[in-house]
Amino acid sequence: MASGDLERGTKNRGNNANFPSYYVETAEKQWTSWIIPMFVVANIAVFIVVMYVNDCPKKSLGIEGSCVAKFLGRFSFQPLKENPLFGPSAATLEKMGALEWNKVVHGHQGWRLITCMWLHAGVVHVLANMLSLIFIGIRLEQQFGFVRVGIIYLVSGFGGSILSSLFIQQNISVGASGALFGLLGAMLSELLTNWTIYSNKIAALLTLVVIIAINLAVGILPHVDNFAHIGGFMSGFLLGFVFLLRPQFGWAENRHSPADARVKSKHKAYQYVLMLAAAVLLIVGFTLALVMLFKGENGNDHCSWCHYLSCVPTSKWNCRS
């Protein structure tokens, strides 16, 4: 996109194709995945609508060059100098609901915290995020059902938008990768809270941590909204402790034992402790973040080094440009 715009999640491309399948096989119900495919269809449909509204041949001034793929008519893309991801203009994204701090806080347009996660900067962006969503989300939904996975996806996306607004206040931001990182965070907390029922748990943990670390590390490149990724990851990580508990090994078989037999409890004590602690942190964190946001505070004023989490300046680029 143009130099002042941020997109979330193009880094996910190619990093999730070999995502580890570390789930144990249990007698739990296997759900049919439908909410994740619906999210994918919705994101693609919204992108098509955005391109229709963009109408490059009619609205482009030609300063940055001519429209790309003109044979698509009004669905053609902005000049590559303006948007190298094959997508709409920044003005169109802003019009359609991109995240912009000034409009959220001073324009009373809090709905942008939600709409931005359904918008994408271009074909490259939307394809990368949707492929990642398919690899990550479908398996989770099959294991835990559409309600829990849907909640984690949506709340994580919202959490990513909040943190992004607190720290990035000069640019617009779009993308579903805050929600995607929420699913990654939930997978990590699910592994930790259900630790006792897994085999090869150390290998699974190391693999998952490496994948998350690589994705977050790429977020320090310019024009990538890593605060949305971090906010989504933190939200999903805590939500996983709340929603993705599994019964301890052997509980399903023992619950049908004779009345005088000693039956295992469904969950271990530490699972309940983690669930309660995560729920409290979620409520407190979201409350404080929303209060700070709508008071117009800048997160960088409270953390002088946090801007390095989203962009590290080098001789090749300037994060302030």
Side-chain angles (χ1 to χ4, degrees), residues 8 39 42-43 46 96-99 111-120 125-126 129-130 133 150-161 173-180 228:
R8 310 172 181 177
F39 285 157
N43 276 280
V46 169
M96 297 298 289
L99 185 62
W111 47 267
R112 289 178 179 270
L113 294 167
I114 299 173
T115 56
C116 66
M117 61 186 286
W118 302 97
L119 299 172
H120 287 83
H125 190 198
V126 70
N129 275 355
M130 293 308 99
L133 179 56
I151 290 173
I152 291 172
Y153 180 88
L154 295 172
V155 176
S156 297
F158 183 60
S161 296
S173 181
V174 295
S177 59
L180 287 170

Side-chain angles (χ1 to χ4, degrees), residues 124-165:
V124 175
H125 190 198
V126 70
L127 286 180
N129 275 355
M130 293 308 99
L131 287 173
S132 298
L133 179 56
I134 290 171
F135 282 122
I136 299 170
I138 287 181
R139 186 63 183 270
L140 267 180
E141 186 180 356
Q142 289 173 341
Q143 293 288 327
F144 295 100
F146 70 94
V147 174
R148 288 184 280 184
V149 172
I151 290 173
I152 291 172
Y153 180 88
L154 295 172
V155 176
S156 297
F158 183 60
S161 296
I162 294 173
L163 194 66
S164 175
S165 294

Side-chain angles (χ1 to χ4, degrees), residues 1-6 82 90 168 170-173 223 320-321:
M1 293 187 69
S3 61
D5 304 321
L6 294 170
E82 181 181 350
I168 299 177
Q170 303 300 321
N171 305 303
I172 66 171
S173 181
H223 311 301
R320 296 183 180 274
S321 64

Side-chain angles (χ1 to χ4, degrees), residues 17-235:
N18 297 314
F19 199 85
S21 177
Y22 59 76
Y23 290 105
V24 293
E25 296 298 327
T26 69
E28 294 181 51
K29 176 180 178 180
Q30 292 289 306
W31 297 77
T32 299
S33 177
W34 64 269
I35 195 72
I36 294 299
M38 279 190 62
F39 285 157
V40 172
V41 171
N43 276 280
I44 293 174
V46 169
F47 181 74
I48 293 173
V49 171
V50 169
M51 292 308 303
Y52 179 85
V53 172
N54 187 65
D55 194 3
C56 180
K58 181 179 179 180
K59 299 179 181 178
S60 178
L61 299 177
I63 299 175
E64 299 288 344
S66 59
C67 299
V68 178
K70 290 184 179 180
F71 64 90
L72 295 175
R74 68 182 297 151
F75 292 96
S76 58
F77 311 119
Q78 294 298 118
L80 292 181
K81 286 186 177 181
E82 181 181 350
N83 186 345
L85 299 178
F86 299 97
S89 66
T92 298
L93 289 172
E94 186 176 336
K95 177 182 179 181
M96 297 298 289
L99 185 62
E100 185 184 1
W101 176 82
N102 188 58
K103 284 184 167 57
V104 170
V105 176
H106 301 296
H108 307 291
Q109 297 178 15
W111 47 267
R112 289 178 179 270
L113 294 167
I114 299 173
T115 56
C116 66
M117 61 186 286
W118 302 97
L119 299 172
H120 287 83
V123 173
V124 175
H125 190 198
V126 70
L127 286 180
N129 275 355
M130 293 308 99
L131 287 173
S132 298
L133 179 56
I134 290 171
F135 282 122
I136 299 170
I138 287 181
R139 186 63 183 270
L140 267 180
E141 186 180 356
Q142 289 173 341
Q143 293 288 327
F144 295 100
F146 70 94
V147 174
R148 288 184 280 184
V149 172
I151 290 173
I152 291 172
Y153 180 88
L154 295 172
V155 176
S156 297
F158 183 60
S161 296
I162 294 173
L163 194 66
S164 175
S165 294
L166 282 172
F167 285 93
I168 299 177
Q169 302 184 350
Q170 303 300 321
N171 305 303
I172 66 171
S173 181
V174 295
S177 59
L180 287 170
F181 268 88
L183 295 181
L184 280 174
M187 292 183 78
L188 178 58
S189 56
E190 189 273 328
L191 174 60
L192 294 175
T193 194
N194 301 315
W195 186 257
T196 58
I197 70 171
Y198 283 105
S199 59
N200 300 322
K201 56 193 73 176
I202 299 298
L205 177 62
L206 291 176
T207 303
L208 189 53
V209 168
V210 168
I211 290 173
I212 293 169
I214 291 173
N215 278 269
L216 287 173
V218 178
I220 65 176
L221 296 173
H223 311 301
V224 178
D225 185 358
N226 215 24
F227 285 112
H229 303 157
I230 295 170
F233 176 80
M234 292 169 58
S235 300

